[in-house]
């Protein structure tokens, strides 16, 4: 996935007119993240969905773009802006621009593209281009500097997508799933089972640990099966505390979901872990996904590590 292509923005630098204009304020998506993680692919996907996309726009000009969109008489109803370290000195003004947009009650979302160091190094080496921040050092030095620079923005992101194991088509599918629908639900949730021995999911908003439950791996007749089977699920939920945990965590997620809605956050990833990501976390994720769906949350259940053993 080659996302190191340089596209310079061609945008007027004139100041916004006084006031907010007479038109409808457009919806705004800010695409950012690690160089090489897929920003260009994500931007192209939104462009194909009819968004007005501007690449490498200095953050100080974001309010200008929103103002111009508001004056377009509905012709520019959705704007996507790619903001990254190529902006260098301009990047520090992003926080000020975001605060200004919040004051104007602009509907905006931040999409952050993430990938592991190994994946990013492979991608830069495959295109034989330097990382924009490596200077006289190595690619890994540039990656480390960029992660530190983007740390706060990643924490503010509404949607974090880890592209370490995704190809271009899989990333486009994820973007389509988030933005293609015209009538978006109030909240979308991904419930992801995982194995701690394979590492924490980097795109998780919430992480819960199921290792307090007895492991079906040590029951010979259950070991070959996964948490999607009735036998394993029955074993897991017959353990002391399993059903109570599901009930109480569902109640907690209802409280969190209500807060996310009030704050305008539309996507949440709940990671449910056990040792290997095969039995307990899978069974709990399946039940939790059904509970959330019953509460009106559009939910997708994903089993990251099932089958890896």
């Amino acid at each position: 996935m080659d996302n190191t292509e340089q596209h310079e923005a061609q945008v007027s630098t004139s100041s916004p007119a006084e006031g907010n204009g007479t038109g409808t304020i457009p919806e705004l998506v800010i695409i950012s993240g690690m160089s090489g993680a897929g920003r260009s692919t994500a931007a192209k996907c939104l462009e194909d969905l009819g968004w007005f996309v501007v690449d490498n726009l200095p953050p100080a000009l974001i309010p200008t773009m929103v103002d111009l969109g508001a004056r377009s008489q509905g012709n520019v109803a959705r704007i996507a802006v790619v903001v990254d370290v190529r902006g260098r000195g301009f990047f520090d003004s992003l926080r000020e621009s975001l605060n200004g947009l919040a004051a104007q009650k602009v509907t905006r979302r931040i999409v952050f593209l993430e990938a592991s160091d190994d994946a990013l190094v492979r991608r830069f080496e495959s295109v034989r281009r330097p990382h924009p921040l490596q200077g006289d050092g190595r690619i890994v030095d540039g990656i480390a500097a960029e992660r530190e620079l983007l740390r706060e923005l990643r924490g503010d992101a509404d949607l974090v997508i880890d592209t370490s194991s995704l190809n271009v088509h899989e990333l486009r599918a994820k973007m389509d799933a988030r933005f293609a629908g015209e009538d978006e639900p109030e909240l979308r949730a991904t419930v992801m089972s995982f194995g701690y021995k394979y590492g924490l999911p980097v795109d998780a908003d919430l992480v819960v640990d199921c290792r307090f439950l007895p492991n079906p791996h040590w029951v010979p007749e259950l070991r070959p099966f996964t948490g999607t089977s009735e036998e394993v699920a029955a074993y897991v939920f017959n353990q002391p505390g399993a059903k109570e945990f599901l009930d109480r965590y569902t109640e907690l997620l209802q409280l969190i979901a209500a807060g996310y809605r009030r704050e305008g956050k539309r996507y949440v990833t709940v990671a449910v872990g056990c040792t290997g990501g095969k039995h307990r976390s899978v069974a709990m994720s399946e039940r939790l996904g059904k509970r959330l769906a019953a509460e009106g949350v559009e939910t997708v259940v994903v089993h990251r590590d099932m089958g890896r053993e």
Side-chain angles (χ1 to χ4, degrees):
M1 178 183 310
D2 180 5
N3 297 290
T4 59
E5 299 172 355
Q6 306 292 310
H7 298 292
E8 298 300 326
Q10 300 295 324
V11 181
S12 171
T13 58
S14 59
S15 300
E18 294 292 326
N20 294 326
T22 58
T24 302
I25 298 177
E27 183 179 359
L28 175 68
V29 166
I30 296 173
I31 300 173
S32 191
M34 299 298 295
S35 299
R39 295 185 308 243
S40 296
T41 299
K44 179 61 177 175
C45 181
L46 290 185
E47 187 174 39
D48 291 343
L49 292 173
W51 290 68
F52 185 86
V53 177
V54 183
D55 191 13
N56 197 22
L57 182 71
L61 294 181
I62 293 177
T64 300
M65 283 300 307
V66 173
D67 184 74
L68 293 174
R71 298 173 183 275
S72 69
Q73 299 181 342
N75 292 321
V76 182
R78 299 183 299 176
I79 297 174
V81 174
V82 181
V83 177
D84 54 62
V85 293
R86 287 175 291 170
R88 303 296 173 88
F90 297 106
F91 201 83
D92 293 336
S93 64
L94 178 59
R95 174 62 55 193
E96 181 179 351
S97 294
L98 292 179
N99 291 338
L101 293 172
Q104 297 176 28
K105 298 183 179 180
V106 175
T107 300
R108 60 89 173 159
R109 286 171 284 176
I110 300 175
V111 177
F112 191 95
L113 282 300
E114 171 73 283
S116 68
D117 286 4
D118 289 345
L120 294 175
V121 169
R122 287 197 304 271
R123 292 170 188 174
F124 275 101
E125 288 181 342
S126 68
V127 296
R128 300 183 180 180
R129 301 185 70 172
H131 187 281
L133 293 185
Q134 77 179 72
D136 296 329
R138 301 176 300 161
I139 291 176
V140 291
D141 298 325
I143 292 173
E146 187 175 34
R147 284 199 193 282
E148 183 61 30
L149 181 63
L150 297 177
R151 187 180 304 279
E152 184 176 351
L153 181 61
R154 186 189 186 283
D156 290 339
D158 299 281
L159 175 63
V160 177
I161 301 178
D162 179 14
T163 69
S164 301
S165 59
L166 301 180
N167 60 36
V168 171
H169 305 293
E170 289 168 333
L171 175 55
R172 289 184 65 93
K174 281 184 172 288
M175 291 295 294
D176 284 340
R178 298 303 195 274
F179 295 99
E182 294 183 357
D183 299 321
E184 294 189 0
E186 290 187 358
L187 184 67
R188 285 176 172 164
T190 297
V191 179
M192 177 190 300
S193 69
F194 73 95
Y196 276 93
K197 69 179 183 180
Y198 300 114
L200 289 170
V202 298
D203 53 346
D205 297 295
L206 303 167
V207 178
V208 62
D209 189 352
C210 289
R211 290 176 294 181
F212 71 94
L213 297 170
N215 193 346
H217 174 80
W218 303 115
V219 181
E221 59 269 26
L222 296 179
R223 185 176 301 174
F225 298 100
T226 70
T228 60
S229 69
E230 294 182 3
E231 296 88 347
V232 172
Y235 176 85
V236 170
F237 286 100
N238 282 333
Q239 301 303 318
K243 293 179 181 178
E244 182 180 11
F245 171 81
L246 177 63
D247 291 340
R248 293 192 177 183
Y249 196 66
T250 301
E251 292 176 0
L252 177 62
L253 288 179
Q254 291 170 349
L255 178 65
I256 293 172
Y260 278 165
R261 291 185 179 103
R262 288 193 298 269
E263 293 300 313
K265 184 176 176 66
R266 300 189 183 187
Y267 313 106
V268 60
T269 297
V270 181
V272 182
C274 64
T275 303
K278 178 180 179 181
H279 296 114
R280 294 165 289 180
S281 63
V282 172
M284 189 65 70
S285 294
E286 290 286 336
R287 293 284 182 91
L288 184 59
K290 290 178 181 178
R291 291 284 188 92
L292 292 177
E295 295 294 329
V297 177
E298 184 175 315
T299 307
V300 175
V301 178
V302 177
H303 303 303
R304 191 192 73 173
D305 299 323
M306 191 171 68
R308 291 185 65 174
E309 72 287 345

